[in-house]
Amino acid sequence: QVQLMESGGGLVQAGGSLRLSCAASGDIMCISALGWYRQAPGKERELVATETTSNGTYYIDSVKGRFTISRDNAKNTVYLQMNRLKSEDTAVYYCNSPLRRCLERGYWGQGTQVTVSS
C-alpha cells in the first residue's frame, strides 16, 4: 500500500521560502509520479503542482514561477520548493498521485502546515 509522509512546513513571512518533502513508498504505479495538493481553511483540496507521466511538470497559474517540483529518485522523495510565498499560500500541503486510479484508493498522509504571515 502507498505510504506518504510530508514534512518541511512551517511559519514564514510573506516573500519567504520553504522546501517541502514527500517520502513515498508502495505501489510503483502510484508513486512513480507525484503531485502536491493543498487545502486551506474553508476550501477544497486542490492540486497545485505535479509531475506528469511524461516526465514533465504542471503548475496552477497562481504558483507558476514561484513553486518548483522536483524528485530525488535515490531517496524516493519528491520536493516542492516554494519561493516568494504569499498569504494565500497558507494551507495544509499534501503529496499524492495525480492519477485518479490512485487517488481513489484514499491514501493520504497527514500533510504539513504552511503558514505565511504578512
Side-chain angles (χ1 to χ4, degrees), residues 26-91:
D27 191 319
I28 295 175
M29 181 186 71
C30 295
I31 65 173
S32 60
L34 291 169
W36 286 93
Y37 299 75
R38 68 186 180 189
Q39 186 167 27
K43 297 184 178 180
E44 294 185 346
R45 184 184 291 120
E46 64 173 346
L47 179 69
V48 297
T50 186
E51 303 175 305
T52 68
T53 54
S54 59
N55 297 318
T57 56
Y58 166 82
Y59 305 91
I60 59 172
D61 287 343
S62 62
V63 308
K64 284 182 179 177
R66 300 189 298 117
F67 291 10
T68 303
I69 189 169
S70 62
R71 169 182 289 269
D72 184 339
N73 285 319
K75 297 177 64 175
N76 297 314
T77 301
V78 174
Y79 305 95
L80 185 67
Q81 178 67 45
M82 305 186 294
N83 298 325
R84 303 190 302 281
L85 284 161
K86 305 175 180 179
S87 60
E88 53 262 44
D89 295 319
T90 295

Side-chain angles (χ1 to χ4, degrees), residues 4-9 20-21 36-37 91-95 108-114:
L4 304 161
M5 295 174 286
E6 302 92 346
S7 61
L20 308 183
S21 298
W36 286 93
Y37 299 75
V92 178
Y93 283 72
Y94 304 86
C95 63
W108 293 93
Q110 293 300 304
T112 185
Q113 176 72 50
V114 172

